[in-house]
Amino acid sequence: MLTSPSPSVYDEFRDRTAEVITHLTGEGLPLTAPAAPAADPDGPWASPPAAIDRTTLAWCTAALMLANHHQTPIRQQALSADALLRERGDRGLAELHSDLHHGAPVDYNFTRCPYCSGIGDDPTEPTCEELRCPPQAEFADHYHLCPVCDGAQYAPEHHAQERLAEVDRLLADTISSSRSARNRFGLSRRR
């Protein structure tokens, strides 16, 4: 019996964008957000406002994150996603993810990145395999790292073992230092 191959993470990106675009067109919302009102030309923020493409993976990710968190339709979060990407760009997705966790920092070694789904590379750029990046590029200015998780390696099983080993080492150090302090000062446990 033949089974269909499991979808790749890149299929997930395409499906995520298609889902949001379907919602937008079904609701009659434009796929390009109107530009924000022009700022005061004499003011300190006189840069021209940019129109937002609502078909990008970043916008679709922001809209889905907001809609899922607030349990609302995507159309109600469209303006929020527009503002986020207009003001913060792709990097704003990391701030949004943290804000949705009540401001707590998000460890992408243990939490799948909402933008790249844990692959670590910018999903809109060619992959390392396609570009044939050398292994040492991981430690240099690797220009196509995910702007949200900064290329964090999502591997909770691997990192959990590392963290448990570190906690065990710290606990052993604490126990040995407390014993040596008691011996040094002539303190002993009461029985």
Side-chain angles (χ1 to χ4, degrees), residues 134-157:
Q136 63 270 22
E138 181 179 346
F139 305 103
D141 290 330
H142 206 55
Y143 68 92
H144 57 274
L145 292 177
C146 174
V148 176
C149 68
D150 290 323
Q153 179 189 5
Y154 174 70
E157 299 85 8

Side-chain angles (χ1 to χ4, degrees), residues 34-135:
D40 177 13
D42 298 326
W45 316 110
S47 62
I52 298 295
D53 181 3
R54 291 178 172 167
T55 63
T56 63
L57 181 63
W59 191 92
C60 294
T61 301
L64 281 174
M65 287 170 68
L66 288 163
N68 290 339
H69 179 75
H70 294 290
Q71 299 176 356
T72 59
I74 290 173
R75 67 178 157 72
Q76 290 183 353
Q77 301 301 329
L79 295 177
S80 298
D82 292 344
L84 174 76
L85 290 181
R86 186 175 283 122
E87 295 171 16
R88 303 273 187 242
D90 293 352
R91 188 71 196 140
L93 292 171
E95 294 175 37
L96 174 62
H97 200 199
S98 175
D99 289 346
L100 296 181
H101 284 84
H102 305 289
V106 179
D107 187 344
Y108 289 110
N109 292 320
F110 293 92
T111 304
R112 193 178 299 276
C113 174
Y115 184 54
C116 74
S117 295
I119 62 171
D121 288 335
D122 188 336
T124 61
E125 298 285 338
T127 65
C128 286
E129 292 81 23
E130 292 170 346
L131 294 176
R132 296 188 176 154
C133 296

